[in-house]
């Protein structure tokens, strides 16, 4: 059954020797211009950095017999990749109407190399999976960027990308990259990292050439939203933790095997079972367990969940964006229920709501989101949301050391409100079993109830009537 993922590295504590950060500029001259972000890019809820961590073993098969310095190889590849992705070497600016743009200054990407002298990859246990220990040691933050760099505690005037390479005592290393979510989503971030990897392996240029084209996702003139967009409603249940800071929350990790997903699907009606994806099923399951755990006082209280839906595909009339586009291409669909109905009904009820919400997203819906951003001053989405990272591919990026032992979005979201987010992240558990881990942030008392509810719903059918 679904388990709460723990790690054999829970007691592993270490510090790194981080060298002063440097600014890695493009390896050749690049245009100096101001490039506006799209009206999907620059909404308030995306104004934070997305952290991705990739862990690599020492490899005797890479160039130089595995003796090359990964920091030097990746730093050089980043400089060459920035010739193509030159906006990433610039700085974010806030214009009139809170509109964000990238000032292509070629100042460069803050880059630090570090050493964890007392840590070997084996110290991470039989498999590397979230939660990673001492994550704050592996990530480069603004306070260690040279004072000569243009930095700020706010997103305005800040660097778009931060990179740290941490060498381990065994010859392996950890690459931690943070990118402003306003400039790229997870797929766009992956596209950049794959370009860096190709160049690190000796390619002359990236296979996929980057395309800016943010005008394709701008608001109409005049803006005319055509959907209600409940994701931006201001009303949030008073007992919901989405607005609580991280120090008032605890983080848990639920691990689902393919058997767990199949067990949940097996209890759905045949038609629903066939059309429901793993994302639909796990999102609905998570929504029901979370709502039950929060014990909202009013059964008629409305609860919502946001679902990230890609605009890249042609299905159901969604936009066909050009190959190489690396801006944000997702919008939020919203499933809505009362707390009482969600608690009382089987999981199939929640699955139906999730499936229906996703089906409503089409090209007009996406355009409507862009229009709403301009009309309402780029509001923050006000709900708990779930994003599927299982098909992104961070675990397949090869910089010359082979595929990573682990690669994916770091479980610690750097959003100021981490309780708003959960991600479906592919990984292996301590037994080496493939599955999906989902981090969730809740107050301590609610986390205890959440754990209990997950166990209740995953009991074998003969012990329960329905889920």
């Amino acid at each position: 059954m679904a388990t709460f993922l723990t790690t054999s590295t829970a007691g592993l504590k270490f510090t790194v020797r981080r060298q002063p950060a440097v600014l890695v500029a493009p390896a050749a001259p690049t245009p100096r211009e101001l490039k506006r972000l799209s009206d999907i890019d620059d909404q308030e809820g995306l104004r934070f950095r997305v952290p991705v961590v990739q862990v690599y073993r020492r490899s005797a098969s890479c160039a130089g017999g595995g003796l090359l310095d990964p920091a030097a190889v990746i730093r050089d590849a980043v400089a060459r990749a920035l010739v193509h992705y030159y906006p990433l070497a610039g700085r974010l600016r806030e214009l009139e109407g809170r509109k964000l743009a990238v000032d292509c200054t070629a100042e460069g990407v803050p880059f630090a190399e570090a050493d964890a002298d007392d840590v070997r990859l084996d110290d991470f246990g039989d498999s590397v999976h979230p939660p990673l220990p001492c994550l704050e040691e592996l990530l480069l933050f603004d306070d260690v960027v040279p004072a000569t760099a243009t930095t700020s505690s706010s997103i305005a005037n800040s660097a778009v990308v931060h990179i740290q390479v941490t060498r381990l005592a065994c010859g392996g290393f950890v690459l931690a990259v943070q990118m402003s979510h306003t400039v790229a989503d997870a797929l766009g971030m992956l596209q950049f990292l794959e370009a860096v990897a190709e160049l690190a392996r000796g390619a002359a240029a990236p296979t996929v050439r980057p395309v800016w084209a943010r005008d394709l996702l701008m608001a109409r003139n005049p803006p005319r939203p055509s959907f209600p967009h409940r994701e931006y409603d201001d009303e949030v249940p008073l007992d919901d933790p989405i607005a609580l800071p991280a120090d008032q929350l605890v983080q848990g990790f639920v691990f689902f095997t393919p058997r767990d997903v199949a067990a949940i699907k097996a209890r759905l009606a045949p038609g629903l079972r066939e059309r429901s994806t793993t994302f639909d099923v796990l999102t609905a399951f998570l929504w029901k367990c979370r709502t039950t755990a929060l014990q909202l006082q009013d059964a008629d209280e409305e609860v919502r969940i946001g679902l990230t839906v890609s605009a890249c595909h042609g299905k159901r009339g969604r936009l066909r964006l050009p190959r190489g586009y690396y801006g944000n291409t997702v919008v939020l669909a919203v499933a809505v229920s009362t707390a009482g109905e969600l608690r009382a009904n089987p999981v199939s009820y929640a699955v139906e709501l999730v499936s229906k919400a996703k089906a409503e997203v089409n090209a007009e819906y996406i355009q409507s989101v862009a229009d709403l951003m301009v009309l309402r001053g780029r509001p923050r989405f006000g709900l708990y949301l779930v994003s599927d990272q299982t098909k992104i591919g961070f675990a397949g990026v090869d910089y010359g050391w082979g595929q990573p032992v682990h690669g994916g979005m770091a479980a610690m979201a750097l959003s100021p409100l981490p309780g708003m987010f959960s991600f479906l992240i592919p990984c292996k558990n301590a037994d080496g079993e493939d599955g999906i881990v989902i981090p969730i942030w809740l107050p301590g008392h609610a986390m205890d109830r959440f754990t209990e509810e997950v166990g209740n719903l995953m009991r074998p059918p003969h012990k329960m009537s329905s889920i």
Side-chain angles (χ1 to χ4, degrees), residues 35-43 46 85 87-88 102 160 179-192 209-217 309-312 319 321-331 366 392:
K35 300 180 81 71
R36 289 177 175 247
L37 297 176
S38 81
D39 288 320
I40 299 294
D41 286 328
D42 62 5
Q43 52 189 300
L46 300 182
Y85 288 85
L88 302 187
V102 177
V160 178
M179 185 178 292
S180 173
H181 205 331
T182 60
V183 176
D185 59 14
L187 284 172
M189 190 174 182
L190 175 65
Q191 182 179 307
F192 171 67
R209 298 303 178 100
V211 175
W212 186 259
R214 305 301 167 103
D215 57 299
L216 296 176
L217 291 176
V309 181
S310 175
C312 288
L319 301 180
L321 297 170
R323 186 170 187 252
Y325 185 88
Y326 62 102
N328 285 278
T329 62
V330 296
V331 293
I366 296 161
I392 300 300

Side-chain angles (χ1 to χ4, degrees), residues 220 223-227 229 364 367-369 371-373 375:
R220 291 172 287 209
R224 46 185 187 278
S226 50
F227 287 80
H229 296 299
E364 176 59 28
Q367 183 63 67
S368 181
V369 172
D371 291 353
L372 185 79
M373 290 301 100
L375 207 60

